[in-house]
Amino acid sequence: MENIKDKKDLTISIIGGTDGLGKWFAKYLKNKGFNIIVTGRDVEKGKNVEKELNVKFINNNIEAAKKGDIVIIAVPINVTEKVIKEVAPHVRKGCLLMDITSIKEIPTKTMEKYVREGVTVIPTHPMFGPSTPSLLRQVVILTPTEKHKKSEWFEKVYNFLVKEGAKVIVIPAEKHDRIMGIVQGLTHFAFISLGSTLKELNVDIKESRKFASPIYELMISIIGRIIGQNPYLYADIQMFNPRIQEIHKTFINQCMEISKIVANKDREGFVKIMKEAAKHFGSEAKRGAYYSDKAVFALSSEIEKLNKLIGKEIAVKNLNSNNIHFGILKNIEDDYLILEKNGKELKFNILRVEVFSGEELKNLKKKHFERKYSDISVLFKKSVDENVILNLLKKLFDVEIIDIYEGDKIEEGYKSITFRIYGYSKDELKEIEKEFLNIIKNIGGKERFK
């Protein structure tokens, strides 16, 4: 990408870059050294993003398109076609026009129709959301026509994405929409329908979890994840993909067929449908079982691990804010852990935190707190190898040897070893000292000064 122009001279205009994935790309590409222009309907929000990301905000899509060497359309699906018609004619010859919408046939045809000759068009679908930290291991789908696939811009974009660690898939727009009609359209349709059904049945979701199998737990979690997203985005995915109606019709027909079989108590008919579906899945049926088993095991293992940490010091990182809290894990109640911190109780949703203990906890404390220390002199027989003792103690404490002394005032046949033990508060050091001296006593040492 940078060979067409040097990064410091290359301007990327993101139409709709003040929110969502558009803002994500503005931040990501700015950090990679590109000049970024963003547009948005809300001027106040645009000015805030300008200041936050150190980018340029322009409240005019056409002006931004004229200035961009790369122009990225990052607006909601329902206005994508309209915005493309607005800005595409103003993209300069020799420049690149992209979109990052989750449907591809309509944007591809519209961009191809409205750009001037000499403008490269690369329709793009990033298969991730704005909470993703980077492009590493993320799927990005490109749907250029054969003409644009041969361009220098395509080569640069493709290589840039691969260099950033993305998994890049290049397919025709029609194939993309057919696949996404299943991967996104059918999936969302089915789970939103399940959520709506549970609402119509007036099911108490929290109460139902008490009787839940692991698979029901996973299903409820997926439904909750989907229905908790932006409903307008999900509506647009359903309504603007030209392949969706056929998929809906097939799904509804199958639901009605299975319902009819159940109503007729046609046991063999039901078995036949399951067996035929399993045969169609082939080895993916077993993979699905293994995958779901692993997900269930991961959830169970996390709760088991937390139960073992009750009464011990841990660190809790809030995945929403990235704030880290240190304290004693007091209890686990349903989906929440109770942390005792400075005499107060804090409640965290287990599903929205990362928990650190052991060595990870020690490393975090070193990073976030100023270490305090206490020096303790201990007598050991001269024959004792202090390095062996130190290696043993290091498994339990943050400790080092600062002095070894033999001579005056030292009991015959003994040597004095001074250990420096570290902690992060006076109270913690007192507890560490007490435990340290108890272990010293059990391995044949004795405190020199009492």
Side-chain angles (χ1 to χ4, degrees):
M1 191 183 291
E2 47 266 68
N3 288 345
I4 292 176
K5 268 191 179 183
D6 190 83
K7 279 184 182 178
K8 67 178 184 296
D9 298 320
L10 188 66
T11 296
I12 301 177
S13 294
I14 303 178
I15 312 300
T18 60
D19 208 354
L21 203 54
K23 182 181 177 183
W24 186 93
F25 272 105
K27 180 179 180 180
Y28 191 82
L29 294 170
K30 178 65 179 180
N31 289 337
K32 294 297 173 181
F34 298 102
N35 300 314
I36 305 297
I37 295 172
V38 298
T39 74
R41 292 177 298 174
D42 188 325
V43 175
E44 184 179 353
K45 180 188 283 187
K47 290 295 182 182
N48 289 336
V49 170
E50 180 177 61
K51 185 177 180 181
E52 176 189 349
L53 303 185
N54 192 27
V55 299
K56 183 174 180 59
F57 171 71
I58 296 179
N59 188 29
N60 187 305
N61 290 341
I62 291 175
E63 288 305 309
K66 288 178 178 178
K67 294 178 183 294
D69 300 294
I70 299 174
V71 179
I72 301 174
I73 309 294
V75 297
I77 296 171
N78 65 313
V79 295
T80 294
E81 188 176 9
K82 176 186 173 184
V83 172
I84 290 172
K85 290 177 181 179
E86 176 192 5
V87 304
H90 302 282
V91 179
R92 303 190 316 275
K93 182 179 179 180
C95 294
L96 169 64
L97 178 62
M98 307 173 73
D99 82 300
I100 54 172
T101 318
S102 58
I103 60 167
K104 290 274 73 79
E105 286 182 81
I106 293 172
T108 299
K109 290 175 182 176
T110 308
M111 287 190 287
E112 291 271 7
K113 181 178 178 180
Y114 285 90
V115 293
R116 40 177 108 171
E117 188 64 32
V119 174
T120 301
V121 172
I122 305 179
T124 304
H125 182 191
M127 292 290 291
F128 56 87
S131 62
T132 304
S134 74
L135 285 170
L136 184 64
R137 293 190 292 275
Q138 301 303 320
V139 174
V140 180
I141 303 173
L142 307 178
T143 65
T145 60
E146 288 301 318
K147 170 186 172 183
H148 295 291
K149 200 187 296 183
K150 297 173 183 176
S151 69
E152 184 183 0
W153 272 116
F154 176 78
E155 182 183 353
K156 299 303 176 186
V157 169
Y158 184 93
N159 290 340
F160 174 81
L161 292 170
V162 170
K163 185 179 178 182
E164 293 299 306
K167 179 183 177 182
V168 185
I169 298 172
V170 184
I171 55 174
E174 295 78 7
K175 184 176 181 181
H176 169 278
D177 282 3
R178 188 166 63 251
I179 294 171
M180 285 303 114
I182 300 297
V183 173
Q184 289 185 320
L186 178 59
T187 301
H188 298 167
F189 184 75
F191 280 106
I192 292 167
S193 297
L194 285 168
S196 183
T197 301
L198 291 170
K199 186 266 295 183
E200 288 298 310
L201 292 171
N202 199 28
V203 174
D204 185 326
I205 304 300
K206 189 172 183 179
E207 177 74 13
S208 73
R209 285 184 182 273
K210 296 177 182 177
F211 310 93
S213 66
I215 296 303
Y216 179 81
E217 278 279 3
L218 283 176
M219 183 190 77
I220 290 296
S221 297
I222 294 170
I223 293 172
R225 179 183 179 87
I226 289 175
I227 63 175
Q229 303 297 317
N230 182 345
Y232 293 100
L233 170 62
Y234 279 61
D236 290 346
I237 289 171
Q238 294 294 320
M239 295 172 190
F240 287 88
N241 187 326
R243 312 290 170 171
I244 285 289
Q245 286 301 313
E246 178 190 352
I247 292 166
H248 284 184
K249 185 177 179 180
T250 304
F251 177 74
I252 291 167
N253 286 342
Q254 284 301 298
C255 288
M256 292 176 67
E257 178 65 21
I258 294 170
S259 181
K260 182 180 175 182
I261 287 172
V262 171
N264 292 334
K265 292 184 169 53
D266 182 1
R267 194 163 182 259
E268 290 306 316
F270 190 93
V271 169
K272 181 183 177 184
I273 284 180
M274 280 193 67
K275 282 185 174 180
E276 287 179 349
K279 184 178 179 181
H280 178 75
F281 267 62
S283 61
E284 290 299 312
K286 281 187 176 180
R287 184 178 182 274
Y290 296 151
Y291 195 89
S292 56
D293 282 347
K294 192 166 186 178
V296 170
F297 177 76
L299 289 170
S300 301
S301 296
E302 184 173 15
I303 297 298
E304 187 177 337
K305 176 186 174 184
L306 286 172
N307 277 318
K308 290 179 180 177
L309 290 172
I310 291 176
K312 297 181 180 178
E313 185 182 20
I314 62 170
V316 175
K317 180 181 180 182
N318 188 311
L319 296 179
N320 292 326
S321 65
N322 286 326
N323 290 334
I324 297 176
H325 302 268
F326 297 85
I328 304 298
L329 178 58
K330 188 173 181 180
N331 201 2
I332 297 184
E333 299 174 359
D334 296 325
D335 289 338
Y336 294 88
L337 61 82
I338 312 299
L339 190 74
E340 188 177 297
K341 179 181 179 182
N342 300 328
K344 295 181 179 180
E345 290 187 1
L346 303 177
K347 196 173 184 179
F348 297 93
N349 189 318
I350 293 170
L351 302 175
R352 299 305 306 149
V353 297
E354 188 175 358
V355 175
F356 301 90
S357 61
E359 285 300 315
E360 289 181 324
L361 174 63
K362 289 180 182 177
N363 292 334
L364 271 180
K365 291 177 79 172
K366 285 180 182 178
K367 182 178 178 181
H368 289 271
F369 295 126
E370 180 183 352
R371 288 198 300 172
K372 301 180 184 298
Y373 65 85
S374 176
D375 295 338
I376 302 175
S377 294
V378 177
L379 295 176
F380 277 102
K381 289 186 177 180
K382 286 184 178 181
S383 58
V384 167
D385 186 337
E386 60 272 8
N387 291 315
V388 172
I389 298 293
L390 180 62
N391 287 335
L392 171 66
L393 293 171
K394 275 187 172 181
K395 294 177 181 178
L396 303 169
F397 306 99
D398 185 1
V399 60
E400 62 179 333
I401 293 174
I402 62 169
D403 185 53
I404 300 173
Y405 174 70
E406 298 177 32
D408 293 344
K409 299 182 181 179
I410 300 297
E411 189 177 337
E412 184 68 27
Y414 282 83
K415 60 184 172 182
S416 172
I417 305 174
T418 302
F419 295 93
R420 177 164 289 175
I421 56 174
Y422 293 91
Y424 297 92
S425 70
K426 290 182 179 179
D427 289 340
E428 183 183 19
L429 271 175
K430 284 181 182 178
E431 291 299 317
I432 293 172
E433 283 181 25
K434 184 177 178 181
E435 187 180 354
F436 179 85
L437 288 170
N438 186 48
I439 290 172
I440 289 295
K441 181 180 178 181
N442 285 321
I443 58 176
K446 52 186 178 180
E447 191 176 2
R448 181 180 174 189
F449 304 110
K450 293 187 180 180

